[in-house]
């Protein structure tokens, strides 16, 4: 008798929002860059272009969700 263990699935919502760098760091886009951009200063929208690292408290949970 063969008992099959199901494969773990990665969390699709997180996998669409997070990029893993070559060194294994997690990168994400900043919020407030989707709409209502006309009234935001261009300096602010340029600053929001940069990708951010995750908070230290969230890294373990996000890696588990990605299956890393």
């Amino acid at each position: 008798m063969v008992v099959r263990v199901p494969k773990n699935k990665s969390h699709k919502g997180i996998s669409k929002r997070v990029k893993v760098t070559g060194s294994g760091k997690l990168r994400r886009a900043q919020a407030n860059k989707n709409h209502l951009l006309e009234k935001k200063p261009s300096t602010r929208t340029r600053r929001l272009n940069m990708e951010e690292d995750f908070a230290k408290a969230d890294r373990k949970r996000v890696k588990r969700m990605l299956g890393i």
Side-chain angles (χ1 to χ4, degrees), residues 2-57:
V2 178
V3 178
R4 294 180 189 257
V5 179
K7 292 182 180 178
N8 290 329
K9 293 186 177 181
S10 62
H11 192 283
K12 293 302 179 182
I14 282 285
S15 62
K16 292 172 188 175
R17 289 170 171 82
V18 175
K19 185 172 78 172
V20 182
T21 63
S23 60
K25 291 181 183 176
L26 300 169
R27 306 295 276 171
R28 63 170 179 84
Q30 294 190 35
N32 300 311
K33 190 75 196 315
N34 282 326
H35 64 122
L36 303 175
L37 296 173
E38 278 188 355
K39 59 180 161 185
K40 294 174 188 170
S42 55
T43 53
R44 181 177 173 187
T45 56
R46 280 198 303 273
R47 189 182 73 234
L48 293 172
N49 280 337
M50 295 180 277
E51 291 182 335
E52 271 193 338
D53 199 7
F54 272 87
K56 189 176 181 184

